[in-house]
Amino acid sequence: MTKEYKTITEISGPLVFVEKTEPVGYGELVEIRTASGEVKRGQVLDTSDEIVVVQVFEGTGGLSKDSSVRFTGDVIKMPLSPSIIGRVLSGSGRPRDGGPPIVPEVEREIIGAAINPASREKPRAFIQTGISTIDGTNTLVRGQKLPIFSGAGLPHNDVALQIARQAKVLGEAEQFAVVFCAMGITNEEAQHFMADFERTGALERAVIFLNLADDPAVERLLTPKLGLTTAEYLAFDLDMHVLVIYTDMTNYCESLRQMGAAREEVPGRRGYPGYMYTDLATNYERAGIIKGKKGSITQFPILTMPGDDITHPIPDLSGYITEGQLIVSRELHRKGIYPPIDIRPSLSRLMNSGIGAGHTREDHRAVSDQLYAYYAEGCDLRGLAAIVGKEALSERDKLILEFADQFERRFVNQGRDEDRSIIETLTIGWELLSMLPETMLTRIDDKYIKKYHPKYAGTAKKE
Amino acid sequence: MEVGRVKRVAGPVVQAVGLKASMYDLVLVGEEGLMSEVIGISGDKHIIQVYEDTSGIKPGEPVKETGGPLVAQLGPGILTQIYDGVQRPLPLLAERSGDFISRGLFVDGVDHKKKWEFQPLVKKGDTVKPGQPIGVVQEQLLIKHKIMVPPKHKGGVVKEIYSGNFTVEETVCVLEDGSQLTMLQKWPVRQARPVVRKLPPTIPLRTGQRVIDGFFPLAKGGTAAIPGGFGTGKTVMQQTLSKWSDVDIVIYVGCGERGNEMADLLHEFPELVDPRTNRPLLERSIVYANTSNMPVAAREASIYTGMTTAEYYRDMGYDVLMTADSTSRWAEAMRELASRLEEMPGEEGYPAYLAARLADFYERAGRAEILAGGEGSVAVVGAVSPPGGDFTEPVTQNTLRIVKVFWALDSRLTQRRHFPSINWLDSYSLYEKDLESWYAENVAPDWNQLKRRAMAILQENAELEEIVMLVGSDALPEDQQLTLEVARMIINFWLAQSAFHPVDTFCPYKKQYDLLKAILTYRDYAFEALHRGVAVDQIKSVPSKDALAKLKMVEDYEPELKKVMDQMKAEFEALK
Ligand SMILES: Nc1ncnc2c1ncn2[C@@H]1O[C@H](COP(=O)(O)OP(=O)(O)OP(=O)(O)O)[C@@H](O)[C@H]1O
Ligand SMILES: [Mg+2]
């Protein structure tokens, strides 16, 4: 039996210091009972002969030096069984939907061991999201982690929801299961997600973890770990394809910073802990596919860039770990374009393995590259046109400027419920490219021009 | 050997008492005996970094000494392997513990059971010295693994030498003094393996990448850094270099980066074929994969483990390329561990010894006269991941003080999908001069001049672009408009090179030369026509010009090129 201690010497922010204990293991789960009988959970951060430091997830409010501390001798685990599907849980994994506790079939450590790189399968199944700026120019594949970098007040949640609704792998009937983790978002935002999940029936194949803005901040450090442990169970035990959406990673990182400050650590860049890269990686890297297993984990973390600054440590370190990023642009949003995804700084690093003959279409890479090149050039020319006036531009430049405008209006812009097939997306791409003389299509092989350029439509033999 | 006890555990760092171990000695922590290394000694306390997750370790658990530092095992069978940062073969870990890496597993870096055919190179009575090959094993179809007298062994007269099939632990040679030599060496990873002397880098390391070979070349045994913000192309470039460089052995160290990237590499290397040998790339490669979510202490060690294997093949007389992706994650691992030691931090929280560690690492590269006689080389390409893409940060700055080649990745080029996004004005190679005579002899006598002309055009282009931003291009004099056009051709037709295009991913020297020469020939025709009074717009719209754009994508480009150039000549002659 594990002993209970009443030897708390100090409580400081989220940390509790306990002395005169038997040896306690690093990372152990701790239960602290308040005078009123409430039990709060925590984890050992530092253990030595003299003192044990515990980080309390559910807030230290109500704790006093008389509270009794029990070290469980075990690390934190998530109870799992198929009946978890459809449940709404708190940010620390307790039922939040009035339902019974999860009766576990298995319990898994929430600090997941790393997937052996040699056991990973290369992700390459094209996911059609129905959104042209993703499918056409920043293609997503199953097993990828692709965050949305956004800003306060932008429609990133709508984009995430549209992806969750429309995502499918062509030729497969199975729908994605969704694990949704909210960290510090407002009740209203959470309702927006829940309503959409209910409307589309997604809730029946979802597991929801909610830590809202008024829930304890330290609990947020637990939420993605619980969600990802659940996702691994669904994917690798129950053979499901799982989409994990978590929002907002910025709140998670703020909690990390608070913890660092409470522990009086030497801060890294802009006050965030030096180990934030590693910590984020232990979440983001829990995406992928394992050889010989049927399921997969695809991640969509959402984060709001403080001050719209992409060099801020939160988006910066995220971008260094994830396999690309989708940038939601305030400028496009102001122009009334939805989804306001700016393709220029956006990127999908796994695009190449998911496109081309056998996946989407043979001309996909070339079309995408050519669209990028002229859209980027067009955006640069806008700056010039603003200075010297449109008239001073050469004919070529005027054409590219017009191309960029049309690109935003026809390719980027689409309805919130518009689900474009990849062929529709590529067709719009070709229509836009046909605004330019054929000799300007320098990035496209002639054989594709002959086959797909609208000018030759009907003349090429169909395969 | 002493057994101490754990006193304190905080993350990957453990304090222990009751040990006599020296700095960098390997110790085994806890009941499970987790692989660890002493990284500090203060008073009666040993400070230890643990290569595995420390969850559950309690004060009071044992800490066992092993009596020596972390070593790499060196012998036949390390090629084609995929290791973690402390040289444990990942496929074997998967066999033992499944798809997720569990703790406390010991696996030898070299298979101790497999038999290899040892062919002696010396005979009874011969005197052998340190580093000298005593025999050879055909490790891969095209790679002979030389079995050498270990560098720290004093050598001696051969008393017995065997031939036949042996495991790496069995004796293959006995010396007069009774010492027995096997095919297995163990070398402390943090120590450079000795050479006779370093040699100047005068031979280019051909990469098949036009912007590199043409403008900012690397030499055999050279050092290069490739800094850039996220998504600017560091990993793609390192993988491309690993694929196409004309070296014998490639060591790819994935240090704190992505699991899916490693999966991609492990998927491609067995399938892709080395253009020089027609054998799968994997046969000449060793991969270290210590991804960002694997333990930081093993990440810190991975760079040294990788370097030790690189030096080992150099000692056999091979040209080796080691790529490290990313050295910033390595530096961060140092920072993370140092902060747990409560050391006084230097700049941006990095330990004060950051610069020294970087210098020591790159210093292990080089072309050298090896102990066995003859030459070998280790070239190093280190990716750097500066926070916010800002090159003024300590890891980039300290690296640039040491390396000789700087490939500056530019996110503005990335946004335009110009790849490789190497900025042609900021980058440099200090080997360029040393390699010129080789190029003149082996590529073309006028190759160096052509490159200089192209670079001058790009520089002029940068100045003109500033003016264009103010007044628009039509306001420029006609000759300057032409210069802009030629620069655009150099940038788009020649510098831009897709790593994913089946043909263009690798461009031989001859093709690099021919394509650039064609562009500059257009320039000469164009200026000549301009002086004749032909209008700029007409010059810019000769059809053969755009035909040049696609030649890089053609494998057998020469007949096509000839056609295009003949056409160009005719088109210009027809211009009035
Ligand atoms: N030479 C190239 N040819 C074609 N595409 C490229 C090339 N280099 C980079 N890219 C594109 O850029 C993307 C990002 O490149 P890469 O993964 O190498 O970036 P990185 O600098 O390693 O980023 P990080 O620091 O986040 O790891 C690739 O997925 C690819 O789409
Ligand atoms: Mg990379």
Side-chain angles (χ1 to χ4, degrees), chain A residues 303-346:
Chain A
L303 61 87
T304 45
M305 300 183 275
D308 287 353
D309 176 10
I310 197 169
T311 68
H312 184 281
I314 298 172
D316 190 52
L317 293 179
S318 295
Y320 271 124
I321 304 164
T322 54
E323 282 133 4
Q325 66 281 334
L326 298 171
I327 308 281
V328 179
S329 139
R330 202 168 291 283
E331 197 190 321
L332 287 173
H333 181 60
R334 284 207 189 105
K335 283 192 191 166
I337 286 171
Y338 173 88
I341 295 176
D342 185 352
I343 63 161
R344 288 171 301 157
S346 298

Side-chain angles (χ1 to χ4, degrees), chain A residues 319-322 347-350 352 365, chain B residues 209 228-237 240 257-258 261 325 329 385 409 414 419-421 497-500:
Chain A
Y320 271 124
I321 304 164
T322 54
L347 167 72
S348 164
R349 296 163 197 255
L350 303 186
N352 275 305
R365 163 57 55 199
Chain B
Q209 308 306 303
F230 63 78
T232 48
K234 300 179 289 297
T235 303
V236 172
M237 182 50 82
T240 309
E257 292 288 318
R258 302 174 181 84
E261 270 168 12
D325 187 15
R329 305 303 165 220
S385 318
L409 294 173
T414 312
F419 293 117
S421 306
Q497 184 172 3
S498 168
F500 302 112

Side-chain angles (χ1 to χ4, degrees), chain A residues 26 46-48 50 114 116 122 143 277-278 285 316 320-323 346 349 352 372 384 388 444 446, chain B residues 7-9 11 56-57 90 99 101 231 256 258-260 264 299 329 336 386 388 417 468 470 488 500 550:
Chain A
Y26 174 75
D46 194 332
T47 174
S48 64
E50 296 82 29
N116 187 324
K122 176 178 168 165
Y277 174 83
T278 305
E285 274 295 321
D316 190 52
Y320 271 124
I321 304 164
T322 54
E323 282 133 4
S346 298
R349 296 163 197 255
N352 275 305
Y372 254 106
L384 181 60
V388 300
I444 308 183
D446 287 334
Chain B
K7 204 173 151 48
R8 177 178 172 195
V9 190
I57 307 267
L90 288 168
D99 301 322
I101 299 176
R258 302 174 181 84
N260 278 336
D264 188 35
R299 187 202 299 172
R329 305 303 165 220
E336 220 172 301
R417 293 301 188 263
V468 170
L470 297 174
R488 176 143 67 201
F500 302 112
K550 291 177 186 174

Side-chain angles (χ1 to χ4, degrees), chain B residues 272-486:
Chain B
L272 285 176
V273 163
D274 181 348
R276 294 186 311 155
T277 59
N278 275 323
R279 297 294 308 167
L281 288 169
L282 191 66
E283 289 184 2
R284 61 165 198 183
S285 313
I286 305 174
V287 176
Y288 290 86
N290 207 99
T291 55
S292 54
N293 56 338
M294 288 162 71
V296 274
R299 187 202 299 172
E300 194 270 340
S302 65
I303 292 284
Y304 296 106
T305 321
M307 179 50 99
T308 305
T309 38
E311 289 173 334
Y312 178 62
Y313 280 92
R314 172 205 63 200
D315 292 346
M316 297 178 206
Y318 289 121
D319 289 321
V320 183
L321 169 67
M322 165 166 169
T323 62
D325 187 15
S326 155
T327 60
S328 292
R329 305 303 165 220
W330 172 53
E332 285 166 8
M334 279 188 240
R335 175 169 73 182
E336 220 172 301
L337 295 160
S339 75
R340 313 262 180 182
L341 301 182
E342 281 142 26
E343 277 177 10
M344 254 313 273
E347 223 182 328
E348 291 197 13
Y350 286 103
Y353 48 75
L354 172 71
R357 290 278 170 91
L358 282 166
D360 287 348
F361 164 63
Y362 282 105
E363 205 40 55
R364 289 173 73 170
R367 178 171 159 239
E369 184 183 329
I370 55 180
L371 297 182
E375 277 178 39
S377 69
V378 176
V380 176
V381 176
V384 185
S385 318
D390 173 4
F391 290 179
T392 60
E393 59 90 38
V395 182
T396 315
Q397 284 305 312
N398 284 309
T399 303
L400 290 185
R401 250 170 247 144
I402 312 158
V403 299
K404 300 289 191 292
V405 180
F406 172 41
W407 296 319
L409 294 173
D410 183 341
S411 57
R412 283 166 304 182
L413 293 174
T414 312
Q415 294 205 0
R416 256 176 258 158
R417 293 301 188 263
H418 173 97
F419 293 117
S421 306
I422 294 178
N423 182 305
W424 47 88
L425 299 175
D426 296 344
S427 303
Y428 59 78
S429 163
L430 299 182
Y431 299 121
E432 215 185 335
K433 276 269 161 307
D434 296 329
L435 302 178
E436 276 187 349
S437 59
W438 191 96
Y439 286 130
E441 244 168 72
N442 295 281
V443 183
D446 61 340
W447 182 215
N448 296 311
Q449 277 140 281
L450 271 186
K451 291 189 293 191
R452 276 197 292 273
R453 274 182 70 198
M455 186 47 100
I457 293 170
L458 292 174
Q459 264 153 0
E460 192 183 342
N461 176 64
E463 286 158 27
L464 294 178
E465 271 187 336
E466 283 178 22
I467 304 173
V468 170
M469 282 320 283
L470 297 174
V471 297
S473 57
D474 277 10
L476 289 185
E478 294 198 315
D479 58 334
Q480 297 189 342
Q481 288 186 37
L482 260 191
T483 300
L484 283 180
E485 187 63 20
V486 174

